[in-house]
Amino acid sequence: KKKKKKMDNFADSLYKIRTRQGKFVSQVKLSKLSGYTQTYISLIETERVNPSKRCKRDLLRALGVDSPHTYIS
């Protein structure tokens, strides 16, 4: 079994943060908050694209993450 790199875990982290209990944010809502399309967010979460550090930071900030650098390699 291959170990996932920290970068690969961003997709999982984004999904978990976005869908956390009591603070659910849909992909559509996140797209409006962040300025990225819902399609692009879906591609990130399914690991079809590797977003830039800036994109990762923007998405996490839109979700209210105070320390986005902890999720960005």
Side-chain angles (χ1 to χ4, degrees):
K1 222 175 179 180
K2 286 184 180 179
K3 280 189 174 182
K4 282 190 168 190
K5 295 178 192 171
K6 188 176 182 182
M7 221 170 187
D8 295 336
N9 289 330
F10 181 77
D12 295 330
S13 296
L14 181 63
Y15 178 79
K16 286 175 184 168
I17 293 166
R18 188 177 64 74
T19 60
R20 63 188 177 231
Q21 190 173 2
K23 295 196 177 186
F24 178 84
V25 177
S26 69
Q27 287 182 349
V28 172
K29 174 88 173 173
L30 180 55
S31 75
K32 290 176 182 169
L33 293 170
S34 67
Y36 294 94
T37 66
Q38 178 274 322
T39 301
Y40 191 62
I41 293 166
S42 176
L43 291 172
I44 293 168
E45 289 186 355
T46 55
E47 299 183 12
R48 292 189 177 121
V49 295
N50 186 17
S52 67
K53 287 183 180 182
R54 180 181 178 180
C55 175
K56 291 176 182 182
R57 185 193 66 224
D58 292 345
L59 290 168
L60 292 169
R61 283 186 178 158
L63 289 169
V65 175
D66 293 329
S67 303
H69 63 277
T70 58
Y71 296 94
I72 300 170
S73 54

